[in-house]
């Protein structure tokens, strides 16, 4: 069975020491829970950093940690203190983290940090290459390791790689700020499947790929030479039952056995049963919007004196990255705000904000979740936010209200929360009031819907879905490779070719014999191509035809004097070698004056696009237009033309970055078959790259050798990945 290995910055254990003896403490985070469910089933390893700087330990000490971890199926990547500082604290937390959370003003652009990031990613990749076998699956996690997929793929293309980003992928306008934007994307594109929490992040990512590299993207598939890369959204879930069961347990714990936290919370309610608790839990991070939240709560108390003494905000801030200056400043700001609210509205019996700067054991956490009336979750940016999901899972009585920021990925799955813009403190203040006054019936109805959804799509389902998608993309890739012309297949085709006495060879031009270029001057046949056609046509048994959508004037000029047949405008015109042009069908172009103004308006509204006029078709080209705008306009144009086309027996053909309107009933397949009539060819071959060539592949006799150029689905029997591969293959036939 294929193995699945996990790669993440941290291993799912932390190391603690007692009398210099190391021991392992399992992590309780969502990632560890989810991954444990898959990597052990797939017999794989977990590769990551154990969390201790390697140069602070002796070789033996490191060895004993490694041995302990190895027993748990973990493989260690060792990082020095300096690497941790420059790679993790530097590039990860001072460059990627702020940028991807839209805090561009906090971003550090230090090339030493970048170099450390590359070096450490390489260390991780080297470890993977050492541990993993060909054909295994590898699942790489998060923003610390964005270069690892390409570092693995370039060495071992047979390893199937999944990558999941746990933080937002920002819009292109923000991403482009980064000097190393192309390198990061290239790193990610080494993966076969790239997962995000939400469709928005996926969209931003695809847009950056399109704009920075211009790769072809069909829906969520990126096509690069002979590879297919899939991007998709997989909203990460939690271990729902673990939280619900723990909450149930807490409710059933006898008085005497309750924890200190539990007892304190009960005392609070005993003083006045109408009292309410509002809960806020997060790492102390500027992305979490803690100051906004505190200001909104302060305003709420200012405007609602009737709630003084009746509502308390529990602010649990878990220490995080405290040697980064922005985190230190944030801590001071939060503490000042807490102090000012408590100073203004508190008294001997009432503290409006209970502030905890620490982390709490799991059970205390669930006590907070299950005893708080409102969860106030207001990040200014958050990839997902698992705390929101954990709160919902812990509400076993279906009471409780969630006030949730629209900037958290989790909002996509929690439409039943009270959704706010975290920058709008007035709206947040109103939401707090609405939450406190919501009827129990409404609370239950909202809570139940969210619970059902979260229980269904829990962390195990999430991991299973991702792995399923990884297996699927592996199959798609294999299907492509199954049609790819290998040396063996090439030999078989050559054998059939050699045996034949009359060979009809159809060659599409753009994207098949010649690559696409922005500059139309560069698409003329180069000398290598001319020589190739010359050699192919100089063999008596060969009847070579260039079959293209281009107009007859252009192709006629380019191949003047060459011994090649030309079929142009998808089959309207034929010029047999040495003869004049003749029409293959009785086509009419009387529709053109009606359609031209429509296309002209698209040229006007889409900078970089232009109109090409052929004898029997009009072509709108958008290769040089801004990529996304071009796609959008192409779709609009298709919609606009649908009715006109049906009424006038026209056809719309979509090629590579072109929309072509032409007289109906004309296509390359029909043209080729009419050309073949009475010829008695005993070897027929056709090569083409876009869907106008699919007519050829479909309509030629079954015995024909049909070859698609590129990776897309096709009716052809075989595939070649690039124009270079086509030329190489034809050269074999030309000798
Ligand atoms: C990143 C992304 C994305 C918190 N305090 C305590 C404690 N926690 C646990 C919570 C929760 C986890 O930490 C926090 O997860 P979040 O998702 O809320 O936020 P990040 O740490 O920023 O995580 C985020 C996530 O990755 C997953 O992809 O959702 O957007 O930023 O599980 O329970 N646990 C304990 N004591 C605490 O005091 N035991």
């Amino acid at each position: 069975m294929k193995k699945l290995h996990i790669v993440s910055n941290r291993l799912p254990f932390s190391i603690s020491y007692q009398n210099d003896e190391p021991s392992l403490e399992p992590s309780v985070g969502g990632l560890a829970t989810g991954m444990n469910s898959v990597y052990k089933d797939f017999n794989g390893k977990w590769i990551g950093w154990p969390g201790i700087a390697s140069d602070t330990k002796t070789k033996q000490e490191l060895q004993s940690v490694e041995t302990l971890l190895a027993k748990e199926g973990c493989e260690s990547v060792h990082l020095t203190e300096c690497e941790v500082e420059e790679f993790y604290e530097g590039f990860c937390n001072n460059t990627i983290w702020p940028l991807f959370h839209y805090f561009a003003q906090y971003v550090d652009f230090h090339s030493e940090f970048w170099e450390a990031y590359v070096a450490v990613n390489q260390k991780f990749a080297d470890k993977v290459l050492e541990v993993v076998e060909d054909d295994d699956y590898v699942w790489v996690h998060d923003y610390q390791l964005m270069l690892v997929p390409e570092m693995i793929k370039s060495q071992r293309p047979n390893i199937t790689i999944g990558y999941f980003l746990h933080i937002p992928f920002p819009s292109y306008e923000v991403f482009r700020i980064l000097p190393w934007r192309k390198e990061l994307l290239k790193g990610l594109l080494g993966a076969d499947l790239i997962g995000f929490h939400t469709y928005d992040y996926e969209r931003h990512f695809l847009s950056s790929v399109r704009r920075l590299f211009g790769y072809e993207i069909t829906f969520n598939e990126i096509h690069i030479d002979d590879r297919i890369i899939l991007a998709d959204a997989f909203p990460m879930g939690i271990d729902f039952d673990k939280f619900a069961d723990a909450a149930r347990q807490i409710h059933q714990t006898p008085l005497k056995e309750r924890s200190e936290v539990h007892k304190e919370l009960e005392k609070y309610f005993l003083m006045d049963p109408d009292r309410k608790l509002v809960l806020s839990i997060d790492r102390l991070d500027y992305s979490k919007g803690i100051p906004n939240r505190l200001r909104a709560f302060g305003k709420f108390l200012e405007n609602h004196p009737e709630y003084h003494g009746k509502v308390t905000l529990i602010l649990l801030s878990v220490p995080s990255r405290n040697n980064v200056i922005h985190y230190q400043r944030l801590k001071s700001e939060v503490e000042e705000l807490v102090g000012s609210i408590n100073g203004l509205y508190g008294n001997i019996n009432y503290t409006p904000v209970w502030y905890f700067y620490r982390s709490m054991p799991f059970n205390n956490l669930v006590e907070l979740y299950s005893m708080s009336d409102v969860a106030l979750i207001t990040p200014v940016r958050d990839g997902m936010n698992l705390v929101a999901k954990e709160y919902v899972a812990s509400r076993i009585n279906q009471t409780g209200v969630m006030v949730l920021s629209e900037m958290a990925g989790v909002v996509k799955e929690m439409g039943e929360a009270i959704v706010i813009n975290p920058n709008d403190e007035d709206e947040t203040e109103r939401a707090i009031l609405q939450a406190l006054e919501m009827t129990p019936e409404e609370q239950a109805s909202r809570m139940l819907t969210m619970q059902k959804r979260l229980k269904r799509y829990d962390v195990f389902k999430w991991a299973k879905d991702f792995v399923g998608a990884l297996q699927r993309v592996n199959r798609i890739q294999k299907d492509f490779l199954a049609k790819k012309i290998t040396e063996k297949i090439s030999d078989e085709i050559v054998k059939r070719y050699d045996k034949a006495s009359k060979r009809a060879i159809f060659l599409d031009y753009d994207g098949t014999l010649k690559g696409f270029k922005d500059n139309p001057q560069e698409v003329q046949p180069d000398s290598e191509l001319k020589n190739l056609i010359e050699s192919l046509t100089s063999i008596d048994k060969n009847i070579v035809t260039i079959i293209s959508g281009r107009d007859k004037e252009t192709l006629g000029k380019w191949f003047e004097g060459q011994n090649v047949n030309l079929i142009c405008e998808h089959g309207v015109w034929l010029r047999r070698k040495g003869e004049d042009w003749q029409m293959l069908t009785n086509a009419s172009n009387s529709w053109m004056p009606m359609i031209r103004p429509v296309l002209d308006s698209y040229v006007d509204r889409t900078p970089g696009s232009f109109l090409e006029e052929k004898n029997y078709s009009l072509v709108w080209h958008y290769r040089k237009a801004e990529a996304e705008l071009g796609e959008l306009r192409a779709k609009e144009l298709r919609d606009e033309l649908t009715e006109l086309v049906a009424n006038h027996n026209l056809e719309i053909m979509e090629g590579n970055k072109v929309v072509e309107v032409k007289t109906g009933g004309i296509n390359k397949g029909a043209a080729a078959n009419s050309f073949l009539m009475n010829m008695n060819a005993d070897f027929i071959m056709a090569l083409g790259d876009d869907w106008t060539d699919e007519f050829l592949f479909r309509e030629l006799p079954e015995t024909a050798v049909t070859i698609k150029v590129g990776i897309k689905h096709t009716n052809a029997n075989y595939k070649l990945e690039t124009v270079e591969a086509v030329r190489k293959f034809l050269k074999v036939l030309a000798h």
Side-chain angles (χ1 to χ4, degrees):
M1 188 177 91
K2 288 184 179 194
K3 294 189 204 115
L4 172 79
H5 310 273
I6 307 300
V7 192
S8 65
N9 180 43
R10 288 295 302 270
L11 286 171
F13 295 95
S14 49
I15 318 289
S16 56
Y17 284 88
Q18 233 172 14
N19 305 328
D20 285 344
E21 267 310 300
S23 63
L24 302 184
E25 197 67 44
S27 310
V28 287
L31 180 63
T33 314
M35 291 305 99
N36 271 327
S37 71
V38 286
Y39 95 108
K40 288 205 170 133
D41 287 356
F42 281 86
N43 210 10
K45 302 274 185 219
W46 191 315
I47 298 159
W49 178 49
I52 43 174
S54 55
D55 45 358
T56 61
K57 300 282 167 208
T58 64
K59 254 196 174 156
Q60 277 106 321
E61 284 171 330
L62 286 180
Q63 186 63 54
S64 61
V65 167
E66 261 183 34
T67 315
L68 269 182
L69 285 165
K71 283 190 197 141
E72 299 292 336
C74 293
E75 292 283 338
S76 312
V77 178
H78 292 299
L79 303 181
T80 64
E81 221 164 348
C82 173
E83 281 171 333
V84 174
E85 202 176 297
E86 294 191 337
F87 150 76
Y88 182 62
E89 288 163 13
F91 200 74
C92 294
N93 292 342
N94 271 310
T95 309
I96 305 184
W97 180 274
L99 188 74
F100 281 39
H101 286 87
Y102 295 75
F103 279 81
Q105 71 279 22
Y106 287 1
V107 179
D108 274 342
F109 299 110
H110 288 311
S111 50
E112 311 90 81
F113 289 176
W114 165 249
E115 281 152 23
Y117 187 79
V118 176
V120 170
N121 270 248
Q122 191 62 57
K123 265 193 170 180
F124 275 82
D126 290 346
K127 192 62 170 187
V128 173
L129 292 167
E130 185 190 312
V131 169
V132 172
E133 288 167 39
D134 267 4
D135 292 330
D136 280 357
Y137 290 101
V138 173
W139 185 354
V140 183
H141 286 269
D142 224 358
Y143 65 104
Q144 301 90 353
L145 303 177
M146 291 170 88
L147 304 178
V148 168
E150 165 61 17
M151 288 170 169
I152 304 172
K153 192 58 106 185
S154 57
Q155 297 298 310
R156 305 259 292 279
N158 285 340
I159 296 175
T160 305
I161 306 167
Y163 175 90
F164 190 84
L165 185 70
H166 289 259
I167 63 173
F169 194 97
S171 115
Y172 172 66
E173 286 305 325
V174 170
F175 183 64
R176 70 188 301 191
I177 295 173
L178 193 69
W180 307 280
R181 59 211 177 172
K182 279 199 167 177
E183 287 84 345
L184 280 192
L185 274 194
K186 201 162 159 265
L188 289 181
L189 290 170
D192 300 282
L193 172 67
I194 304 171
F196 302 90
H197 281 307
T198 71
Y199 172 64
D200 281 342
Y201 309 152
E202 175 193 333
R203 201 163 55 74
H204 293 320
F205 166 74
L206 289 175
S207 156
S208 289
V209 170
R210 202 179 270 128
R211 285 157 192 243
L212 289 172
F213 293 115
Y215 291 141
E216 196 173 328
I217 299 173
T218 319
F219 300 110
N220 58 346
E221 280 180 20
I222 307 165
H223 296 224
I224 309 176
D225 298 336
D226 65 348
R227 290 187 57 218
I228 290 177
I229 298 157
L230 215 65
D232 213 338
F234 304 88
M236 185 176 176
I238 55 162
D239 184 348
F240 186 95
D241 290 336
K242 183 176 154 196
F243 283 88
D245 291 346
R248 233 166 260 127
Q249 191 72 40
I250 285 163
H251 281 267
Q252 289 159 6
T253 309
L255 259 174
K256 269 197 270 172
E257 292 166 32
R258 292 182 181 170
S259 74
E260 282 313 306
V261 173
H262 196 164
K263 285 181 191 155
E264 284 303 315
L265 293 174
E266 290 207 317
K267 245 195 251 164
Y268 171 78
F269 289 114
L270 274 177
M271 284 171 73
D272 178 352
D274 284 344
R275 278 186 151 190
K276 303 272 186 195
L277 277 181
V278 177
L279 179 66
S280 139
I281 298 183
D282 13 44
R283 279 183 308 100
L284 191 70
D285 194 295
Y286 47 77
S287 63
K288 303 288 183 181
I290 303 168
N292 310 353
R293 190 178 314 166
L294 280 167
R295 278 193 294 269
F297 187 65
K299 271 194 180 176
F300 168 77
L301 290 178
E302 183 187 336
N303 295 330
H304 295 280
E306 71 277 16
Y307 274 100
H308 292 186
K310 296 233 181 260
V311 59
T312 294
L313 170 67
I314 302 182
L315 187 74
L316 175 59
S317 290
V318 181
S320 178
R321 307 173 192 173
N322 31 22
N323 37 6
V324 176
I325 183 79
H326 303 299
Y327 289 75
Q328 293 161 7
R329 287 197 190 128
L330 174 70
K331 181 167 180 277
S332 309
E333 188 185 357
V334 166
E335 288 172 0
E336 234 171 72
L337 280 163
V338 170
S340 111
I341 296 173
N342 283 345
L344 272 171
Y345 306 106
N347 60 42
I348 304 270
N349 298 316
Y350 173 55
T351 311
V353 184
W354 289 348
Y355 170 60
F356 303 93
Y357 178 63
R358 68 186 80 138
S359 79
M360 290 200 181
F362 173 75
N363 264 350
N364 292 154
L365 194 75
V366 182
E367 279 161 353
L368 293 180
Y369 285 146
S370 52
M371 299 189 74
S372 300
D373 305 277
V374 177
L376 190 54
I377 296 173
T378 63
V380 283
R381 285 289 159 184
D382 211 339
M384 171 55 75
N385 195 301
L386 298 178
V387 167
K389 293 189 171 182
E390 293 166 1
Y391 175 72
V392 170
S394 308
R395 306 301 304 177
I396 51 167
N397 296 333
Q398 282 87 44
T399 54
V401 186
M402 167 105 60
V403 176
L404 184 60
S405 160
E406 64 182 54
M407 307 293 178
V410 70
V411 78
K412 308 278 177 214
E413 297 164 86
M414 293 206 171
E416 296 76 12
I418 303 177
V419 178
I420 50 111
N421 176 345
N423 302 304
D424 186 342
E425 285 161 18
D426 295 332
E427 187 186 30
T428 313
E429 183 213 321
R430 285 196 300 277
I432 295 173
L433 183 68
Q434 186 190 344
L436 291 170
E437 296 189 345
M438 191 178 283
T439 63
E441 293 72 32
E442 189 174 350
Q443 292 181 28
S445 122
R446 291 181 186 227
M447 201 44 93
L448 204 63
T449 317
M450 292 193 276
Q451 286 181 340
K452 274 192 193 150
R453 196 177 301 131
L454 294 185
K455 190 171 162 59
R456 220 171 30 237
Y457 202 83
D458 63 6
V459 69
F460 307 107
K461 180 82 173 54
W462 169 77
K464 209 168 142 221
D465 257 18
F466 187 91
V467 175
L470 197 56
Q471 289 166 330
R472 228 172 15 257
V473 74
N474 181 257
R475 270 198 305 274
I476 299 176
Q477 187 75 47
K478 283 232 164 90
D479 283 351
F480 164 72
L481 293 177
K483 283 192 168 185
K484 187 174 163 174
I485 299 191
T486 57
E487 216 164 293
K488 187 165 162 258
I489 295 174
S490 168
D491 288 349
E492 282 164 14
I493 297 174
V494 171
K495 246 188 232 158
R496 283 177 59 192
Y497 169 90
D498 282 343
K499 262 204 231 148
S501 49
K502 203 169 205 182
R503 309 157 183 151
I505 300 172
F506 295 97
L507 304 170
D508 167 52
Y509 186 77
D510 295 274
T512 301
L513 293 176
K514 186 84 191 173
F516 289 99
K517 297 275 176 341
D518 282 346
N519 180 354
Q521 300 306 317
E522 291 174 40
V523 290
Q524 297 184 19
D526 48 87
S527 54
E528 183 197 57
L529 179 56
K530 282 192 168 163
N531 291 339
L532 181 59
I533 299 291
E534 185 78 49
S535 326
L536 267 180
T537 50
S538 66
I539 300 169
D540 281 348
K541 294 175 180 171
N542 290 351
I543 301 155
V544 182
T545 306
I546 291 180
I547 183 161
S548 162
R550 280 192 177 266
D551 63 83
K552 70 185 201 314
E553 287 72 23
T554 311
L555 274 198
K557 198 166 82 206
W558 287 352
F559 290 98
E560 196 59 64
Q562 287 212 279
N563 241 345
V564 68
N565 307 297
L566 300 176
I567 293 179
C568 293
E569 295 194 28
H570 301 291
V572 177
W573 296 101
L574 164 70
R575 186 174 84 181
R576 291 181 193 273
K577 57 183 179 189
E579 293 181 13
D580 272 343
W581 288 105
Q582 67 180 89
M583 268 182 103
L584 271 175
T585 53
N586 277 330
S588 146
N589 59 8
S590 57
W591 51 271
M592 281 187 170
M594 178 188 59
I595 300 280
R596 194 181 295 108
V598 179
L599 294 180
D600 278 340
S601 81
Y602 278 79
V603 173
D604 294 340
R605 293 189 302 131
T606 319
S609 74
F610 63 92
L611 184 65
E612 182 193 1
E613 209 162 310
K614 300 185 197 168
N615 295 305
Y616 293 92
S617 68
L618 291 172
V619 196
W620 180 66
H621 290 258
Y622 59 94
R623 170 161 302 279
K624 285 168 76 183
E626 198 277 310
E628 282 178 359
L629 180 67
E631 299 293 343
L632 184 77
R633 291 274 190 262
K635 189 178 169 310
E636 274 176 32
L637 175 60
R638 253 181 351 251
D639 290 349
E640 189 170 344
L641 288 175
T642 310
E643 205 176 319
L644 283 172
V645 158
N647 292 343
H648 295 86
N649 185 30
L650 304 176
E651 275 172 17
I652 305 179
M653 298 190 104
E654 268 187 275
N656 202 324
K657 310 271 190 241
V658 296
V659 177
E660 178 157 4
V661 189
K662 63 177 203 45
T663 310
I666 302 168
N667 68 57
K668 288 182 180 180
N673 274 333
S674 116
F675 180 78
L676 283 171
M677 224 157 358
N678 307 324
M679 189 186 282
N680 292 329
D682 51 356
F683 176 87
I684 301 171
M685 183 171 81
L687 284 87
D689 73 306
D690 72 19
W691 76 271
T692 64
D693 300 304
E694 293 296 318
F695 286 106
L696 261 180
F697 303 150
R698 228 177 11 232
E699 292 183 28
L700 283 176
E702 259 181 31
T703 51
V705 175
T706 48
I707 303 173
K708 166 92 172 176
V709 185
I711 197 161
K712 286 196 187 158
H713 308 290
T714 182
N715 292 301
N717 321 116
Y718 302 111
K719 290 183 179 180
L720 281 169
E721 57 274 49
T722 57
V723 168
E724 289 67 41
V726 169
R727 290 191 182 191
K728 199 167 151 209
F729 174 71
L730 291 177
K731 271 183 202 157
V732 177
L733 300 183
H735 288 291

